[in-house]
Amino acid sequence: MARRKLAAGNWKMNGTRAALAEAEALAAACPAPGCDVLLCPPATLIAAMAERLRGGPVRVGGQDCHPAPSGAHTGDIAAEMLADAGAVAVIVGHSERRADHGETDALVRAKAEAAWRAGLTAIICVGETEAQRDAGKALEVVGAQLDGSVPDGPTPERLVIAYEPVWAIGSGRTPTLEDIAQVHEFMRARLAARFGDALADGVRLLYGGSVKPGNAAQIFGVPNVDGGLVGGASLKAADFAPIVEAAS
Ligand code: PEP
């Protein structure tokens, strides 16, 4: 099956309203991209960004959501609220949330279910630490995260997996292309074993971790890599536009 690539930007805890100009510059730089383009700004910017980008090629997503649709959860945001603000997708299980907030696979799964309940695509992040890779456990770790974090009942439209080795995030280091290929092939096979070939063939598997304009084309050319989840290089249109181009 031909999968349309996805270039997704994760702004993390960066950006105030002044940064909306970068989102508009990105949309202007990629008027008709040959891939899907998503920006996930801080929650404070979602509504304004969605409004400014409405009708254009760049969609907007959240970086996290709570499993519940509403309630006494101070500081949290429901998937329904993200959708109401104009988001079409949400990242769940990013390694920074797994590390900073102790998020377990079970919680990530519940968040992905919440995303689907609200009509959002869930971008579920998995990836090993450096110690786990050095111990030869990368596939074991990623397999267990996939098993525990992906809910039953996925569709190719509402599920995206992002393989993000923890040690590659923000470090300027990336796995070899062979290692990326191995993990992505493994993930597709793991999804096929649980959900069948049709689902596994349709789901987009992103690579994330120090994707830059200079390495994006090579990484996106690896078999089973259907685009990227990009942190630092998504903050500026001048950096992210060539990455979108590489995915197109
Ligand atoms: C990320 O935060 O998902 C990420 C991949 O960050 P960076 O591109 O900065 O490594």
Side-chain angles (χ1 to χ4, degrees), residues 43-67:
T44 49
L45 295 181
I46 289 173
M49 186 182 284
E51 184 62 31
R52 291 219 204 166
L53 299 181
R54 189 151 45 143
V58 181
R59 315 294 295 278
V60 180
Q63 298 177 12
D64 178 49
C65 65
H66 192 279

Side-chain angles (χ1 to χ4, degrees), residues 14-26:
N14 295 294
T16 56
R17 279 178 293 174
L20 294 173
E22 289 295 334
E24 290 176 310
L26 178 70

Side-chain angles (χ1 to χ4, degrees), residues 10 12 94 96 164 168-171 208-212 229-233:
N10 172 15
K12 311 192 188 195
H94 191 283
E96 287 155 11
E164 298 207 309
I169 294 177
S171 66
S210 296
V211 174
K212 307 284 178 212
L229 180 55
V230 183

Side-chain angles (χ1 to χ4, degrees), residues 70-92:
S70 62
H73 304 289
T74 302
D76 280 312
I77 298 175
E80 284 78 0
M81 295 170 176
L82 297 175
D84 181 61
V88 298
V90 59
I91 299 167
V92 293

Side-chain angles (χ1 to χ4, degrees), residues 225-247:
V225 173
D226 305 309
L229 180 55
V230 183
S234 71
L235 291 169
K236 296 284 174 208
D239 293 327
F240 200 37
I243 293 173
V244 169
E245 179 62 31

Side-chain angles (χ1 to χ4, degrees), residues 5 11 15 23 48 52 66 68-69 71 74-75 84 95 103 143-144 146 161 190 193 199 206 238:
K5 281 190 167 51
W11 280 14
R52 291 219 204 166
H66 192 279
T74 302
D84 181 61
S95 62
E103 293 195 1
L146 276 183
I161 304 292
R190 191 83 162 206
L199 182 282
L206 309 184

